[in-house]
Amino acid sequence: MAFTRTAGRLGLLSCHLCNSLTKSAPGAHEGRCSRCGSHLRFRKPDSITRTWALLIASYILFIPANLLPIMHTNSLFGAQSDTILSGVVYLWASGSWHLAVIVFIASILVPSAKLVTLTFLVVSVQRRSTWDPLQRMNMYRILESVGRWSMLDIFVVAMLVALVHLQTLATIRAGAGAVAFGALVVVTMLAAMAFDPRLIWDPQWTRHE
Amino acid sequence: MRARSGRCCQRPRPPATSGSRITFGPSSKRNLLSRVPWSTEPDGASVGCGGEQDHMVTLPVIACHECDLLQRKIVLPPRGRARCRRCRAILYRDYPPGPDRALACAIAALVLFLIANAYPIVGLEVQGNRQTASLYDAVHTLWVEGREDVALLVGFTAMFTPAVEISLLISLLLPLKFNRATEGTVPILRFLQIVRPWSMTEVFLLGILVALAKLEHLARVEAGIALWAFGSLIPLLIVASMSFDPEDLWLNVSG
Ligand SMILES: [Zn+2]
């Protein structure tokens, strides 16, 4: 079947940098691109193990990121600490529901959906599932393109801190939750990068054999 | 492989040059392809729709970088895109000729980036007390207040990586414009690929807007020059990185 002819199967290493194909030495698992000299491997090295490790780290970080306050406000009306969720609730209660929706999607929905989806993808790849690869591929594409938007809350806090700083009215300081949340975004992005989407398709051609 | 409105499935026509050597002569500039000697494969004689091949026929073949499927390259209609027929990933596009447009956008982006960093993003007025904040102020305040880690993260994703991305793009396109061969292309491209996912100017812009909206009922806020600079920087950077043909770069690699 011409449909399942992949570079890996024919012993060709495809270069992620210049897109050219290099024939690997027989039995070799890696090689060097004949055009740009990049170090090539058939699949990202230890993709599943590394994705798992980063995923578990993300699950752990998820807890402090959501429980610790990301922002402390000191004003004439007293001190207040906000977690991500209480920030969304405050926005909703104060009538800016459109902002509440944006922040909710970027800071709560996206990171949790990303963790669940990536876990599902890794498990499906580990079990060599052949269930709708295109669907799973699209999941991966969405989670990869959407992940960066979780950084939104960090930038909001950074701007608020800079603007409402040493003012007579109020001071805003970043809390420990901001560190955990920033780390969560970075680690989940690394997890998505460690995952090799070609693994989704690999069982396809072995089954067809 | 499918082009948007191009010829879809043709018989593979062997190119004029044959042999197992991988060639990128300047004569075939638009169709620069890496050539794979198919005949060395035991069952590599028929790719796609098959055909009668000579003993040492070389075919322009590309592997999808998202699903690894091998596909033959075809000539695209103007502004067309070739998608992987299995996973629908965009394999390559038809680019406007030459690096001019990309270079112009990258230089404009550089100017806007300098403006965006030099001027305040927003101003805030509370009880006659006026405060402005630039991107640097945001990073600096976080740092001073003992949140060095958050300061580093913001500085890295909103300031450092966009700066690196723009300057790498320019240093990639300038030699291309003047047809200078450089050895820098490969390391620059490699670095650009690493840096790009961490450059978050568009997320930062949304962050500014949310922060502004949050402060709106507390104080009078006004947008600064840098806000507009950030806003126009984003589309320019996208156009700059999408409107040059990466294949052109390989014509220029020396050695
Ligand atoms: Zn594909």
Side-chain angles (χ1 to χ4, degrees):
Chain A
M1 259 183 93
F3 192 75
T4 51
R5 199 177 291 276
T6 63
R9 197 185 193 187
L10 292 183
L12 295 168
L13 293 153
S14 94
C15 180
H16 51 94
L17 198 66
C18 71
N19 268 333
S20 65
L21 292 163
T22 305
K23 215 171 142 27
S24 74
H29 294 283
E30 48 200 355
R32 221 155 255 293
C33 176
S34 56
R35 177 147 79 161
C36 69
S38 298
H39 186 89
L40 303 181
R41 287 188 173 96
F42 283 107
R43 298 292 176 263
K44 289 180 191 169
D46 306 319
S47 173
I48 292 174
T49 323
R50 289 184 45 219
T51 313
W52 265 126
L54 291 161
L55 256 179
I56 291 166
S58 317
Y59 276 115
I60 295 167
L61 278 169
F62 193 80
I63 301 161
N66 282 283
L67 292 183
L68 293 177
I70 56 160
M71 198 166 82
H72 303 286
T73 317
N74 281 302
S75 67
L76 299 173
F77 317 109
Q80 192 193 338
S81 294
D82 276 311
T83 62
I84 286 187
L85 193 61
S86 77
V88 175
V89 172
Y90 172 78
L91 280 174
W92 185 274
S94 64
S96 13
W97 62 269
H98 46 287
L99 282 185
V101 169
I102 292 176
V103 177
F104 178 78
I105 292 175
S107 318
I108 296 171
L109 194 66
V110 166
S112 32
K114 203 177 158 177
L115 287 181
V116 173
T117 317
L118 196 54
T119 310
F120 166 74
L121 289 178
V122 183
V123 170
S124 81
V125 161
Q126 256 179 331
R127 304 185 56 181
R128 298 189 69 75
S129 157
T130 48
W131 177 78
D132 202 345
L134 189 57
Q135 191 88 5
R136 283 184 288 149
M137 190 69 215
N138 287 334
M139 282 181 187
Y140 178 71
R141 286 186 186 134
I142 292 170
L143 84 86
E144 215 191 12
S145 60
V146 117
R148 52 204 281 108
W149 289 94
S150 306
M151 206 63 112
L152 179 71
D153 244 13
I154 301 291
F155 291 139
V156 173
V157 170
M159 282 320 289
L160 288 178
V161 165
L163 274 172
V164 193
H165 174 64
L166 300 177
Q167 291 237 340
T168 43
L169 194 71
T171 352
I172 293 180
R173 294 176 61 244
V179 185
F181 193 80
L184 172 68
V185 178
V186 171
V187 175
T188 45
M189 278 178 73
L190 289 173
M193 286 176 198
F195 182 75
D196 193 332
R198 290 174 293 191
L199 295 175
I200 295 176
W201 299 90
D202 282 348
Q204 305 297 317
W205 54 258
T206 32
R207 289 284 166 95
H208 280 270
E209 207 160 18
Chain B
M1 185 184 313
R2 254 171 244 155
R4 222 192 300 174
S5 62
R7 297 162 290 168
C8 166
C9 200
Q10 307 166 300
R11 312 184 115 217
R13 204 179 301 128
T17 49
S18 61
S20 64
R21 206 169 67 88
I22 293 171
T23 48
F24 348 94
S27 52
S28 58
K29 187 167 170 161
R30 291 310 299 166
N31 289 319
L32 179 76
L33 309 159
S34 85
R35 297 193 173 120
V36 186
W38 280 102
S39 53
T40 58
E41 292 302 326
D43 56 351
S46 66
V47 185
C49 17
E52 68 295 336
Q53 272 120 334
D54 300 326
H55 185 59
M56 277 300 270
V57 159
T58 58
L59 276 177
V61 174
I62 186 173
C64 173
H65 48 96
E66 292 190 29
C67 76
D68 216 28
L69 185 70
L70 284 175
Q71 289 158 84
R72 243 169 325 102
K73 272 193 152 186
I74 54 166
V75 180
L76 292 176
R79 309 197 117 291
R81 289 182 298 189
R83 283 181 181 274
C84 171
R85 82 174 162 202
R86 183 160 77 158
C87 78
R88 315 295 298 143
I90 294 173
L91 297 175
Y92 55 96
R93 308 159 182 275
D94 178 72
Y95 296 91
D100 290 3
R101 189 203 286 184
L103 189 60
C105 288
I107 290 172
L110 179 68
V111 174
L112 284 170
F113 183 78
L114 294 177
I115 294 173
N117 277 278
Y119 289 91
I121 300 170
V122 273
L124 184 66
E125 208 177 294
V126 193
Q127 298 165 340
N129 202 336
R130 202 162 175 283
Q131 175 123 13
T132 60
S134 66
L135 175 52
Y136 175 75
D137 293 331
V139 176
H140 181 75
T141 318
L142 283 168
W143 185 278
V144 169
E145 284 184 347
R147 284 274 163 247
E148 291 93 347
D149 24 32
V150 184
L152 282 176
L153 188 60
V154 173
F156 183 74
T157 53
M159 225 157 129
F160 178 71
T161 43
V164 170
E165 191 187 355
I166 297 171
S167 23
L168 287 183
L169 261 180
I170 292 177
S171 52
L172 206 57
L173 293 168
L174 268 182
L176 196 59
K177 168 78 184 151
F178 297 107
N179 278 319
R180 291 266 171 77
T182 59
E183 343 40 278
T185 307
V186 173
I188 289 175
L189 264 182
R190 211 168 276 160
F191 202 39
L192 199 58
Q193 212 173 42
I194 298 168
V195 149
R196 202 170 262 157
W198 303 103
S199 150
M200 303 193 184
T201 314
E202 72 279 19
V203 186
F204 180 63
L205 183 68
L206 186 64
I208 299 169
L209 297 178
V210 172
L212 280 185
K214 272 189 166 180
L215 290 170
E216 219 172 25
H217 18 224
L218 300 174
R220 218 168 62 80
V221 286
E222 53 195 39
I225 304 168
L227 185 63
W228 305 114
F230 269 119
S232 29
L233 167 68
I234 295 159
L236 278 174
L237 206 49
I238 294 172
V239 174
S241 47
M242 300 244 289
S243 54
F244 71 96
D245 191 346
E247 293 289 339
D248 284 350
L249 292 170
W250 302 107
L251 293 173
N252 248 13
V253 177
S254 64

